[in-house]
Amino acid sequence: MSLLSAQNLEQYFGGYTIFTGISAEIPHEARIGLVGPNGVGKTTLLRILAGVAEPESGTVTRAHDVQIGYLRQEAVEAFAAREHSVYAEMLTVFAGLITQAAQLQTMEAQMAAGDYSETLLEEYGAVQEAFVTGGGYEYESRIAGVLTGLGFPPDTWQTALSHLSGGQKTRALLAKLLLEAPNLLILDEPTNHLDIAAIQWLEHTLREWTGTVLVVSHDRYFLDTVVDRIWEMSRTGIEVYRGNYSASLIQRSERWERYKLLFDAERARLEAELDFIRRFVNTPTNEIAKGKLKRLSRELFAIKQLGFMAIQGKKWSELGVNADRPMTVDEAAAAIKGLTPPREPPPALTLRLKPTARGGDLVLRTYGLTVGYPARRLFATDDIILNRGECAALIGPNGAGKTTFLRTALGQLEPLVGSVQLGASLRVGYFAQAHEGLDPAHSVLDALIDYRNLLIPEARGHLAAFGFRGEDIYKPVAALSGGERGRLALALLALDGANFLLLDEPTNHLDIGAQEVLQAGLEQFGGTLLLVSHDRYLIDRLATQIWEIRDGKLHVFPGTYKEYVAFGERAARQVKEAGVQAAQAAKAVSAATPKPNTEREARKQAELVAALETQITAAEADLSRCTADLQAAAAAQRHTDLSLLSARYATQQAQLDRLLAEWETLAN
């Protein structure tokens, strides 16, 4: 049995149909990537599958043992009215283990006082087994690993949830879901607020995940790395492809071609049936023609109600379609003429970026450059050179200074130290992440006409190539979605004739189809690129060198992104191996070091041991008091107190463990 299945889901918003006829199944241990154009209803579908919303019609069947963890795209309200810290929130996942730890402490105190009754020992054994099986000795390291992996350094763990930004709250919710380990994770754009290091950590975690994952993502590299099947969603159904995103592209192309051939053959058959009916409906053999018209009407009614592919290979009795009366010959002819292919490729967008001039061989060069603001230095760099025809991908964590570097290169900001020199005969085009150059009061059409003083027919044709058709061209910029604003900014950029493009997160908010168009346009671009992006798929296809901002410095890697990743993995392995060798050497030196053998050293060591024993006694007393407080809070169901006490208990237990480890080292 599938973990979850959906049948014939429909959803509306007012009088607008979001989607209809959506059916799908989620098998156990599947890793599914859900893709489709912006606005097709992916988030709405996830909410329905997760049980957060109900469909207008259709059914969702969930296995009795399914545990769903749902990450919404924006989790600003995820921790409303919670004032405790990030770490305390993670501890709530392990409230049962923390209670068991407190029970064990209490029973250990009873045994230390001389109570070794059979009942106590049996209870202690049962609780101890449950504690160990449930991960009682690992949960603190699990919390630390997940928080660190998702970009929460230790100095942020005690930050109150109410003080987190929207993006941080989304990451905190994702961390909690991963710690809860449900057997079905439903994730809506989980990489939106992650830098590349955190995305790579999440990819590794999901590859090792023992449950099932359904994820919506515009990150094609992420989909290639994590998923083993693709759901491509349209307003009328879901196409399923085996393999990752790149594999789905090949299958999609083959399937569209197959559908077209099947559609053409079936339409030809229907037209032949209609031709027979026309020729014989008014002849003595008209009963045969009328019977054929009745069957043809049923087929056309079924296609209209269920879609072309849904009726293939099905008998009329299996379709459940009502046809009150046969069509007339003219109605049947109109219905056949109005048939459309079942899965047409989306309307083609085109991006043609043609430099109007060749430009010199040297495009950009720096001299002793330090980038930042008077009150804040961001990074320095060795002297770097970017030549004509190259693509440098500038990567690094959020806030490292990537956009600041672009603005410095453009002359919008002064360097703190050094200089940036641009080459001769350059025509520079700049794609800003925030699209601040767009006037929100303008319509889409006005924005284009004002930018290059185009004639209206010329402007309409240019906008159509970027997906703005019909009434869309009159929408005000202020009302555009993030993806639409990105497409408009690209439409303006295509008019520049630039031979040096500086692109700041050009794929942000673009759906996968638009990302593919942008990628194709940039691959055919004959100029030079300086690209800031979290889109590793795009970087992998374009970059000839990687500029990484790390630890306050820009490091240049002369190669592709795949080569850069492979180099990093080799370096990490070498560091790990060197660490193991160093640890082994230190252990050997420690074993060869003689123990203190003078009376003075022995007396000093005894004093240290005694001092540690005093601290251990005090720490055990603190832990015992905390245990009692935990039990009282658990009994009274004071959940907020339980979370705070859990954090205190974890801190005190860690302190006691450290003291015991030091005592054991000295005592031996």
Side-chain angles (χ1 to χ4, degrees):
M1 178 183 174
S2 298
L3 201 60
L4 183 149
S5 64
Q7 295 295 325
N8 294 320
L9 299 182
E10 294 187 0
Q11 193 70 357
Y12 307 98
F13 183 76
Y16 176 72
T17 301
I18 300 175
F19 55 72
T20 182
I22 299 292
S23 297
E25 291 193 358
I26 301 178
H28 288 267
E29 299 182 5
R31 286 168 177 74
I32 302 166
L34 176 61
V35 302
N38 287 339
V40 79
K42 299 186 294 294
T43 292
T44 302
L45 178 61
L46 290 194
R47 288 171 51 82
I48 291 171
L49 297 181
V52 176
E54 292 295 324
E56 296 291 338
S57 64
T59 59
V60 177
T61 304
R62 303 174 182 88
H64 71 279
D65 61 341
V66 68
Q67 303 155 345
I68 297 177
Y70 170 54
L71 177 75
R72 67 200 77 175
Q73 193 172 142
E74 298 293 342
V76 176
E77 303 299 325
F79 304 109
R82 299 199 189 189
E83 293 299 325
H84 51 254
S85 69
V86 172
Y87 194 86
E89 182 66 26
M90 301 304 116
L91 283 173
T92 62
V93 175
F94 304 102
L97 288 175
I98 294 169
T99 301
Q100 289 172 351
Q103 292 171 339
L104 291 173
Q105 289 279 343
T106 300
M107 288 185 279
E108 287 165 0
Q110 290 176 275
M111 288 186 281
D115 183 357
Y116 291 100
S117 64
E118 185 175 345
T119 301
L120 179 60
L121 291 174
E122 286 181 357
E123 183 182 358
Y124 183 85
V127 175
Q128 174 76 4
E129 181 179 0
F131 183 73
V132 172
T133 303
Y137 293 112
E138 295 90 30
Y139 71 85
E140 289 176 291
S141 63
R142 283 185 59 201
I143 291 174
V146 169
L147 288 178
T148 303
L150 290 177
F152 288 101
D155 60 2
T156 66
W157 294 358
Q158 299 307 320
T159 303
L161 291 169
S162 58
H163 294 168
L164 298 181
S165 68
Q168 288 174 320
K169 286 181 179 178
T170 302
R171 285 190 282 129
L173 179 58
L174 176 58
K176 187 176 179 182
L177 290 176
L178 294 174
L179 292 169
E180 288 173 340
N183 56 10
L184 174 56
L185 267 178
I186 297 180
L187 308 176
D188 195 353
E189 296 287 1
T191 64
N192 268 3
H193 301 284
L194 303 181
D195 59 24
I196 288 180
I199 293 172
Q200 290 172 334
W201 178 89
L202 180 61
E203 287 171 349
H204 174 77
T205 299
L206 294 180
R207 283 199 305 269
E208 302 294 323
W209 195 257
T210 56
T212 302
V213 179
L214 172 60
V215 57
V216 167
S217 180
H218 288 153
D219 187 330
R220 297 169 291 170
Y221 203 97
F222 178 82
L223 293 173
D224 262 0
T225 305
V226 170
V227 308
D228 58 21
R229 66 199 71 195
I230 293 289
W231 287 2
E232 184 178 33
M233 184 175 177
S234 68
R235 297 198 184 279
T236 57
I238 287 177
E239 287 283 315
V240 179
Y241 302 99
R242 296 286 180 178
N244 61 13
Y245 173 73
S246 292
S248 76
L249 294 180
I250 299 171
Q251 296 172 57
R252 182 179 66 180
S253 178
E254 294 171 346
R255 194 173 295 184
W256 278 341
E257 187 61 31
R258 191 164 62 250
Y259 285 159
K260 185 177 185 306
L261 291 173
L262 177 61
F263 174 77
D264 289 344
E266 284 294 285
R267 183 164 62 179
R269 181 185 64 80
L270 295 173
E271 288 173 343
E273 290 283 310
L274 182 62
D275 182 61
F276 177 92
I277 293 165
R278 274 197 176 114
R279 285 188 290 115
F280 294 103
V281 72
N282 294 319
T283 68
T285 58
N286 65 351
E287 291 302 320
I288 297 175
K290 288 179 179 178
K292 282 183 174 290
L293 181 59
K294 186 175 181 180
R295 288 193 296 272
L296 180 63
S297 298
R298 286 177 172 179
E299 283 191 77
L300 293 172
F301 274 120
I303 291 171
K304 181 179 179 180
Q305 293 185 31
L306 302 177
F308 180 79
M309 292 306 299
I311 73 165
Q312 298 305 307
K314 299 283 184 68
K315 297 179 181 178
W316 176 255
S317 59
E318 298 173 323
L319 296 175
V321 173
N322 294 320
D324 297 331
R325 61 171 181 79
M327 294 180 177
T328 66
V329 172
D330 289 342
E331 287 172 339
I336 293 172
K337 185 178 180 181
L339 292 178
T340 56
R343 285 287 186 272
E344 282 191 309
L349 305 180
T350 55
L351 174 60
R352 294 184 178 88
L353 300 167
K354 294 183 178 180
T356 55
R358 179 180 182 276
D361 289 338
L362 177 66
V363 175
L364 180 147
R365 185 169 191 165
T366 68
Y367 297 92
L369 182 66
T370 298
V371 170
Y373 301 90
R376 186 186 174 202
R377 176 188 182 278
L378 291 173
F379 67 87
T381 179
D382 294 333
D383 293 348
I384 55 178
I385 294 175
L386 184 64
N387 290 317
R388 183 176 57 83
E390 292 187 316
C391 172
L394 180 60
I395 64 175
N398 295 333
K402 300 185 294 294
T403 298
T404 305
F405 180 85
L406 295 187
R407 296 185 63 198
T408 302
L410 289 167
Q412 297 176 0
L413 290 175
E414 288 294 323
L416 292 182
V417 179
S419 63
V420 180
Q421 173 190 333
L422 296 182
S425 303
L426 286 184
R427 188 177 181 89
V428 179
Y430 178 46
F431 181 96
Q433 183 178 167
H435 312 309
E436 57 264 24
L438 298 175
D439 186 340
H442 277 173
S443 70
V444 171
L445 181 62
D446 289 339
L448 201 73
I449 291 174
D450 288 353
Y451 192 72
R452 279 292 179 270
N453 196 27
L454 299 178
L455 298 174
I456 289 179
E458 187 180 6
R460 291 179 70 106
H462 185 75
L463 288 170
F466 290 84
F468 294 102
R469 298 178 175 86
E471 296 301 311
D472 286 346
I473 67 172
Y474 300 112
K475 289 173 69 172
V477 170
L480 298 180
S481 68
E484 289 171 326
R485 289 171 68 91
R487 285 193 280 118
L488 177 57
L490 288 172
L492 299 179
L493 189 67
L495 296 172
D496 281 344
N499 53 24
F500 181 31
L501 294 179
L502 291 83
L503 307 176
D504 194 356
E505 298 291 357
T507 60
N508 268 11
H509 306 294
L510 296 183
D511 60 35
I512 286 182
Q515 289 176 29
E516 291 171 350
V517 171
L518 173 62
Q519 176 187 307
L522 293 176
E523 285 176 334
Q524 296 167 11
F525 176 58
T528 307
L529 293 172
L530 178 52
L531 171 67
V532 171
S533 181
H534 285 115
D535 186 341
R536 293 161 300 155
Y537 200 95
L538 185 69
I539 293 172
D540 187 48
R541 294 294 294 263
L542 298 175
T544 57
Q545 52 182 297
I546 306 297
W547 295 358
E548 180 191 14
I549 302 174
R550 171 171 35 89
D551 301 326
K553 186 171 181 180
L554 189 150
H555 304 263
V556 175
F557 178 83
T560 66
Y561 184 73
K562 276 193 173 71
E563 292 168 341
Y564 160 79
V565 171
F567 177 82
E569 290 173 347
R570 284 197 303 272
R573 283 196 302 270
Q574 291 168 357
V575 169
K576 184 176 180 181
E577 291 166 1
V580 170
Q581 292 170 1
Q584 291 171 342
K587 186 176 181 181
V589 171
S590 177
T593 302
K595 297 290 188 287
N597 51 18
T598 67
E599 183 178 342
R600 182 178 177 182
E601 289 172 333
R603 186 168 60 251
K604 184 177 179 180
Q605 184 163 325
E607 290 172 355
L608 289 172
V609 169
L612 278 172
E613 288 174 345
T614 300
Q615 293 178 56
I616 288 169
T617 300
E620 287 176 335
D622 288 342
L623 197 62
S624 179
R625 285 192 292 272
C626 186
T627 299
D629 293 342
L630 265 172
Q631 290 174 325
Q637 296 187 346
R638 299 196 306 271
H639 298 296
T640 301
D641 290 348
L642 186 62
S643 298
L644 297 172
L645 288 167
S646 297
R648 196 175 93 198
Y649 179 91
T651 302
Q652 291 175 350
Q653 181 66 61
Q655 172 73 358
L656 178 58
D657 291 343
R658 184 183 63 78
L659 292 170
L660 288 170
E662 291 182 22
W663 178 87
E664 185 177 355
T665 301
L666 288 173
N668 292 335

